[in-house]
Amino acid sequence: MNDSEHGRRTIRDVAKAAGVSISTASNALNGTGRTNAETREKVKRIADELGFRPNALARGLLTKRSHAIGMLTNDTYGRLTLPMAAGVSEILVDHGVSLFLCATNNDPRLAKLHLDALLDRQVDGIIFTATRIDLEPPPELLKLRIPVIYAFAQGPADSVSFHPDDAQGARIAVQHLQALGRSRILHITGEQNYLAARIRADAYRELAGPSGRVMFGEWSEEWGHSAIDEVYSQSGPKPDAIFCGSDEIARGVIDALRDRGISIPEDVAVVGFDNWEVVSKQTRPPLTTIDMELKELGHRAGLAILGLSRGEKLEPGIERLPCRLFVRGSA
Amino acid sequence: MNDSEHGRRTIRDVAKAAGVSISTASNALNGTGRTNAETREKVKRIADELGFRPNALARGLLTKRSHAIGMLTNDTYGRLTLPMAAGVSEILVDHGVSLFLCATNNDPRLAKLHLDALLDRQVDGIIFTATRIDLEPPPELLKLRIPVIYAFAQGPADSVSFHPDDAQGARIAVQHLQALGRSRILHITGEQNYLAARIRADAYRELAGPSGRVMFGEWSEEWGHSAIDEVYSQSGPKPDAIFCGSDEIARGVIDALRDRGISIPEDVAVVGFDNWEVVSKQTRPPLTTIDMELKELGHRAGLAILGLSRGEKLEPGIERLPCRLFVRGSA
DNA sequence: ACTTTTTGATAAAACCTTTTATCTCCTATA
DNA sequence: TATAGGAGATAAAAGGTTTTATCAAAAAGT
């Protein structure tokens, strides 16, 4: 009689076993409509015994809410993306929402493919993340009927974006060095065509004043090395502190300084950026650095997309989340 | 008349616009049933013009195939997981299948939560990945009615698992060193309670013979450092090559050797493991290392889960995928 | 000319829920 | 006592698609 073991239990099975109609079962389980407390408990108990779980596809089809959101990212090996994704997921799972991960490899064709698939699945919203805050999102993203959040990326004017507060991050780095009594602070950072690099450099300049010097280069350890070579092969005053644009650069800087017999932090204090622990904890001395709190950024993005998908209105614009200073040995 | 702009186009809209029934439209679009070539083209053209895309929820509800699979992983910041996920995704997207990413943080409660959500969404299969090949999967995973693939993790006896071939990886590392004429090869690796570490160590011992020596420790740069300190503070013959269990260890080893004025690869050749480019490319000299081809492993896992979800049978057991040697400067 | 096939199209059922509108029965009110 | 109102339950519709069974018309066979 029971159409038992060949598939999942449906609400039919629950209703039949409880001796009520399907609608009553549904109402009892969801607390909607009017139901007698007694039958409600009974239905719930039986559903539990049967291990009933509602089919999300059917539910989504009817309610127009799939309780799934898509995350579109342009990188694959991302040390930036993954912490954010973890943060997003952490928030979503508590609200019964699942996450589709779509890596586009910076390929527009792939981006379109993924985006179409997400729309076909009726996702309630999309989070777009990137490896740099000034990367253009795929154009299709701009005219969707579902909400979109930009995390570590910049959307159009009326959209909601979350960025780390690069300027504030740079400021607390420089202020920390100044509080240590350093006055000849150098800034060695990555490529100038990265907006984040320019923002940080500007913030640095404001605090460092006329004695400040910014060296743009690459986001690599090697650049840290050769930057130091450059500085120390020239004549003129030497820095007593260096603020680096990334932990990798900082590591190159520290290695190069040590090669020259310069002791850290006594002779030169060094501050990094990223708090990428696999680097920052392994340098000698361990790196004092700025953490962008990417997981928290993911949390915020997750909460935002949840809100939007429920129809709430959000202030458009770029919200900048504060960075945090991690003091270790290098400064 | 057209219920135009407030929602997506449905197959109804297509049928109406083409002047045919819903069933005909469906048959025409899917190439099922019997349809006149002419009407078929017409329907397709109109569907295209209208930008019709079928609702995946409705389709999945009926066909019992959601064209989505779930990836359950125990880590968050995974440099192991993410390349695999990228590989999986790359395969799936070409088959119109999407990927749910679920990070469990090693929390059983979270694992259960995610797993239930995946089942509610009627995923066609699940890929379980972990940060180490000998991690126990959550017990709920063992008795599902849907197919499960274990990637970089080990399932029960009758399941399908994919691992990197650690033994072969260790062999090509040692053989490469031996081909360079090195005979006193040392193996510095990570924690002994990792199965992968033991497998590699065993393979190493077979080739290195009685002169071989294995030093277990931690998976950190620091351990590479202190291992070298230990070796060189003892008397006795010194190695002319070192095979390291990870790139991070190798980096610590190289730094420590350089501190002692030992030149690489002339005096001591060093081979790493992982080919984690952010480390291997940045050491000086750049690291010769073993790549586990994690993306390829993801490809294989993706293909496997696709096959299983279509009802194909797969040989159970652990399939070991070959590693590859990347020769750079250190050996 | 009549039956049998074949072709092309369609109505309707099914998938599993939620929700709206109805319906019955009971209690309270005038 | 008649009526209004409320509580509790349910039938039925809806959501968008695929698929099975049915049907009509045209083509082929005798």
Side-chain angles (χ1 to χ4, degrees), chain A residues 36 133 181 186 216 226 231 237 271 274 284:
Chain A
N36 185 342
I133 57 174
L186 173 63
F216 289 102
S226 49
V231 168
V271 174
D274 281 351
R284 287 169 314 142

Side-chain angles (χ1 to χ4, degrees), chain B residues 17 22 25 28 36 39 48 57 79 89 107 120 126 164 210 232 257 259 270-271 274 276 297 303 322:
Chain B
I22 294 184
N36 185 347
T39 48
D48 228 37
L57 265 40
R79 74 165 176 281
S89 174
D107 175 352
D120 293 351
I126 291 182
Y232 282 83
L257 289 174
D259 284 356
V270 176
V271 174
D274 282 349
W276 191 20
L297 202 143
L303 286 172

Side-chain angles (χ1 to χ4, degrees), chain A residues 8-21:
Chain A
R8 283 171 66 112
R9 298 352 272 241
T10 86
I11 199 171
R12 278 191 111 79
D13 301 331
V14 176
K16 191 181 294 179
V20 299
S21 75

Side-chain angles (χ1 to χ4, degrees), chain A residues 5-8 53-58 60-61 65-69 75-79 81-83 85-86 89-90 93-94 96-103 105 109-110 113-114 116-122 145 219-223 225 248 251 255-256 258-259 276 278-279 281-284 295, chain B residues 5-8 53-58 60-61 65-69 75-79 81-83 85-86 89-90 93-94 96-103 105 109-110 113-114 116-122 145 219-223 225 248 251 255-256 258-259 276 278-279 281-284 295:
Chain A
E5 295 308 318
H6 79 294
R8 283 171 66 112
R53 312 209 87 229
N55 181 322
L57 265 41
L61 180 56
R65 301 209 50 215
S66 65
H67 293 275
I69 78 125
D75 81 327
T76 42
Y77 292 90
R79 76 165 177 280
T81 302
L82 209 60
S89 175
E90 240 173 58
V93 73
D94 282 336
V97 174
S98 297
L99 182 68
F100 283 112
L101 183 72
C102 304
N105 284 328
R109 185 197 66 94
L110 213 52
L113 210 59
H114 272 130
D116 281 344
L118 289 176
L119 296 177
D120 293 351
R121 298 203 145 70
Q122 320 289 118
R145 294 190 319 329
W219 296 109
S220 70
E221 207 169 318
E222 193 175 346
W223 160 239
H225 242 278
E248 287 177 88
R251 169 143 205 184
D255 281 355
R258 185 160 4 89
D259 285 355
W276 191 19
V278 72
V279 175
K281 281 190 173 172
Q282 297 292 337
T283 54
R284 287 169 314 142
K295 190 180 243 193
Chain B
E5 295 311 318
H6 79 294
R8 281 171 69 110
R53 312 209 88 229
N55 182 322
L57 265 40
L61 179 57
R65 301 209 49 217
S66 64
H67 293 274
I69 76 126
D75 80 328
T76 42
Y77 291 91
R79 74 165 176 281
T81 303
L82 208 60
S89 174
E90 240 173 58
V93 73
D94 282 334
V97 173
S98 296
L99 182 68
F100 283 113
L101 183 73
C102 304
N105 284 328
R109 183 196 68 93
L110 215 50
L113 212 58
H114 271 129
D116 282 343
L118 289 177
L119 295 176
D120 293 351
R121 298 203 144 72
Q122 320 289 115
R145 294 191 305 9
W219 296 109
S220 71
E221 207 169 319
E222 193 176 346
W223 160 237
H225 241 279
E248 287 177 88
R251 169 143 208 185
D255 281 356
R258 187 164 358 90
D259 284 356
W276 191 20
V278 72
V279 175
K281 280 189 173 170
Q282 298 291 338
T283 54
R284 287 170 312 144
K295 193 181 241 193

Side-chain angles (χ1 to χ4, degrees), chain B residues 47 72 189 258 266 292:
Chain B
L72 213 57
T189 188
R258 187 164 358 90
E266 292 76 13
M292 291 189 282

